[in-house]
């Protein structure tokens, strides 16, 4: 029977960050990841994705990302960095190991994978959100006969050439996918409210610094009073700037419902579409923790990253409710450091 002090579920940037701090302890630990290769959900983003922060703000703890070819790294450059990071520290990681269920047996967690059963004193769940894409409710969605995909399944615009494409969602994914698809297709962009474009001089650096100041309680407002900025505001990366020059960044308010060939607008007019791309975000992927009875409304009540109901369970990387900016490259290291501090204190390791 294999027993560990800590089992980390998920081998993306959050899982690796936890491992980085655990390797300095005397605790036994293992990362379980269901994918074949390194990189977590970065493998499931579109081909042309460019990060919105330069390498020094796109680095995990301990080892900075090397300089990228352009100012902002492409996703493949970040994937190479993650892979090198994993090799550099030689983390104990088992791939193609999907955790099906986590149960409690006396004081131990019993972890059932697709391959075997493992036991651990503590568990860190770092399974991300990509396996739980969110699509909002629009009436009669099932009667629409066109193609519907979520941004998690979008790779490039090739298959949408000359099609009528409806893109739903006003964040960075929506803006960047619109920018690309609009080069080869007729597009319409639906957002819940007017998209919040940041000024060209602002990138992820500003957002992280701003959010850090707020987190530390040093300010509760933006330094530029006229600026409405948050981590979900749209950063004007090159592709989005070019789309602005082509005058395609024009959003319209949501439609009323679907009909067989497309969407019905609020005034009753119908518009035909071949494809709908949902850029509407994600929810935490927590299915494997259901047997513990800790999930409420798709979340787990936490104090910092520690489950309140099950104190030997920690959750990292799902969003601000699991540590400040923990769903970003810049923020996850700080969250991981504090989490491992708590685990070491609990296990005296
Ligand atoms: P993931 O990368 O999803 O890793 C979780 C791992 O757990 C995966 O390998 C998954 O397969 C595995 N797993 C899931 N369930 C199980 C299971 N039951 N058993 C075993 N393994 C399992 N952040 C930035 O800082 N800068 C950016 O520019 C930026 N751009 C982004 C662009 C897009 C389009 C998206 C979607 C996100 C972006 N982010 C950015 C946000 C963030 O950095 C990523 O979402 C990040 O990949 C989250 O890492 P993670 O380790 O928490 O989760």
């Amino acid at each position: 029977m294999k027993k560990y002090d800590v089992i980390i579920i998920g081998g993306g940037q959050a899982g690796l960050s936890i491992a980085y701090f655990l390797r300095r302890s005397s605790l036994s630990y293992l990362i379980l990841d269901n994918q074949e290769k390194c990189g977590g959900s970065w493998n499931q983003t579109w081909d042309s994705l460019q990060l919105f922060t330069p390498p020094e703000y796109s680095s995990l703890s301990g080892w900075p990302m090397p300089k990228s070819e352009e100012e902002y790294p492409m996703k493949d450059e970040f994937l190479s960095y993650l892979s090198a990071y994993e090799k550099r520290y030689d983390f104990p990681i088992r791939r193609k190991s999907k955790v099906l269920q986590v149960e409690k047996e006396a004081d131990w967690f019993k972890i059932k994978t697709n391959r075997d059963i493992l036991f651990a004193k503590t568990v860190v769940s770092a399974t991300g959100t990509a396996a739980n894409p969110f699509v909002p409710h629009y009436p009669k969605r099932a009667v629409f006969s066109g193609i519907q995909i979520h941004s998690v399944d979008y790779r490039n615009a090739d298959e949408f050439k000359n099609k009528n494409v409806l893109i739903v969602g006003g964040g960075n994914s929506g803006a960047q996918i619109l920018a690309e698809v609009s080069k080869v297709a007729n597009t319409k962009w639906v957002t819940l409210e007017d998209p919040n474009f940041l000024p060209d001089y602002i990138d992820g650096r500003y957002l992280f610094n701003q959010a850090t100041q707020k987190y530390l309680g040093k300010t509760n407002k933006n330094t530029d009073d006229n600026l409405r900025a948050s981590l979900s505001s749209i950063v004007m990366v090159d592709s989005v700037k070019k789309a602005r020059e082509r005058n395609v960044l024009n959003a319209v308010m949501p439609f009323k419902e679907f009909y067989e060939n497309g969407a019905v607008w609020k005034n009753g007019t119908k518009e035909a579409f071949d494809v709908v791309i949902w850029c509407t975000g994600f929810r935490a992927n927590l299915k494997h923790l259901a047997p513990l009875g800790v999930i409420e409304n798709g979340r787990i009540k936490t104090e910092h990253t520690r489950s309140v109901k099950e104190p030997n369970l920690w959750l990292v990387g799902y969003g601000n409710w699991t540590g400040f900016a923990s769903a970003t490259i810049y923020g996850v290291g700080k969250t991981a450091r504090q989490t491992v501090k708590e685990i070491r204190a609990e296990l005296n390791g």
Side-chain angles (χ1 to χ4, degrees), residues 9-16 32-35 37 39-46 49-53 57-58 78 82 95 97-100 126-131 151 172-173 176 208 282 285 288 316-318 326-332:
I9 309 173
Q13 65 193 38
L16 298 187
L32 299 173
D33 188 73
N34 61 5
Q35 301 207 28
K37 53 181 182 176
S41 61
W42 288 100
N43 289 302
Q44 288 153 270
T45 55
W46 58 92
L49 184 120
Q50 193 166 21
L51 274 61
F52 52 76
T53 39
Y57 276 68
S58 307
F78 185 68
L82 269 186
R95 297 219 180 270
S97 295
K98 182 177 169 101
V99 173
L100 305 172
T127 47
T129 57
S151 63
N172 282 291
S173 300
Q176 287 189 31
F208 286 132
F282 301 88
N285 164 25
H288 52 292
V316 175
Y318 298 100
S326 72
T328 65
I329 309 158
Y330 182 77
V332 73

Side-chain angles (χ1 to χ4, degrees), residues 170-192:
N172 282 291
S173 300
Q176 287 189 31
I177 290 176
L178 170 73
E180 187 163 84
V181 176
S182 61
K183 288 200 269 186
V184 299
N186 301 312
T187 49
K188 192 140 232 175
W189 189 23
V190 163
T191 60
L192 274 181

Side-chain angles (χ1 to χ4, degrees), residues 14-318:
L16 298 187
S17 298
I18 291 289
Y20 173 80
F21 289 104
L22 273 176
R23 58 185 258 291
R24 296 172 178 164
S25 74
S26 59
L27 302 174
S28 59
Y29 67 98
L30 176 70
I31 307 175
L32 299 173
D33 188 73
N34 61 5
Q35 301 207 28
E36 283 187 19
K37 53 181 182 176
C38 171
S41 61
W42 288 100
N43 289 302
Q44 288 153 270
T45 55
W46 58 92
D47 303 341
S48 66
L49 184 120
Q50 193 166 21
L51 274 61
F52 52 76
T53 39
E56 61 272 28
Y57 276 68
S58 307
S59 297
L60 298 180
S61 308
W63 191 50
M65 183 179 177
K67 212 170 158 9
S68 47
E69 224 160 89
E70 294 183 31
E71 185 179 12
Y72 303 113
M74 302 305 293
K75 122 204 172 161
D76 284 344
E77 291 177 297
F78 185 68
L79 272 168
S80 304
Y81 163 68
L82 269 186
S83 172
Y85 187 86
E86 192 180 303
K87 285 200 189 92
R88 179 185 174 95
Y89 296 110
D90 198 19
F91 297 127
I93 179 157
R94 229 179 63 180
R95 297 219 180 270
K96 297 195 239 173
S97 295
K98 182 177 169 101
V99 173
L100 305 172
Q101 284 204 324
V102 179
E103 295 167 9
K104 205 71 197 279
E105 206 171 85
D107 285 342
W108 291 85
F109 287 105
K110 183 177 176 186
I111 295 143
K112 292 187 181 164
T113 79
N114 56 336
R115 292 161 57 174
D116 52 8
I117 292 179
L118 304 168
F119 287 84
K121 288 182 192 158
T122 62
V123 163
V124 180
S125 187
T127 47
T129 57
N132 196 6
F134 173 73
V135 174
H137 172 72
Y138 276 87
K140 303 193 186 164
R141 186 155 85 89
V143 306
F144 175 59
S145 59
I147 295 168
Q148 294 185 53
I149 65 161
H150 190 276
S151 63
V152 74
D153 296 313
Y154 173 82
R155 290 294 166 271
N156 58 56
D158 291 354
E159 62 183 295
F160 306 121
K161 245 183 202 153
N162 302 324
K163 298 236 166 25
N164 292 316
V165 181
L166 181 64
I167 293 165
V168 185
N172 282 291
S173 300
Q176 287 189 31
I177 290 176
L178 170 73
E180 187 163 84
V181 176
S182 61
K183 288 200 269 186
V184 299
N186 301 312
T187 49
K188 192 140 232 175
W189 189 23
V190 163
T191 60
L192 274 181
E193 46 191 44
D194 288 340
N196 186 21
F197 298 107
L198 290 168
D200 290 5
Y201 63 87
I202 282 181
D203 66 13
R205 273 175 288 207
Y206 173 90
L207 296 177
F208 286 132
N209 290 336
Q210 183 75 54
T212 306
Q213 291 303 306
K214 281 188 184 173
Y215 176 70
L216 296 174
K218 294 191 175 159
T219 178
N220 61 3
K221 57 177 193 155
N222 298 316
T223 40
D224 178 343
D225 281 340
N226 297 319
L227 193 62
R228 191 162 58 94
S230 78
L231 287 173
S232 56
S233 307
I234 298 170
V235 178
M236 299 305 288
V237 294
D238 279 350
S239 62
V240 180
K241 278 187 199 151
K242 285 186 183 137
R244 182 179 58 196
E245 283 158 24
R246 286 186 280 116
N247 195 27
V248 293
L249 297 182
N250 306 308
V252 295
M253 290 295 120
F255 49 97
K256 193 168 75 176
E257 60 185 19
F258 280 102
Y259 75 105
E260 191 188 350
N261 298 321
V264 183
W265 299 102
K266 292 248 162 87
N267 65 6
T269 56
K270 292 180 171 177
E271 186 167 351
F273 290 102
D274 305 300
V275 182
V276 177
I277 307 180
W278 297 102
C279 303
T280 40
F282 301 88
R283 300 289 183 262
N285 164 25
L286 302 170
K287 293 187 284 291
H288 52 292
L289 301 175
L292 297 174
V294 291
I295 305 171
E296 293 164 37
N297 300 322
R299 287 192 180 182
I300 292 174
K301 198 163 179 226
T302 51
E303 214 158 84
H304 185 58
T305 55
R306 192 171 193 165
S307 160
V308 171
K309 272 195 181 166
E310 181 51 75
N312 283 345
L313 168 70
W314 281 262
L315 298 117
V316 175
Y318 298 100

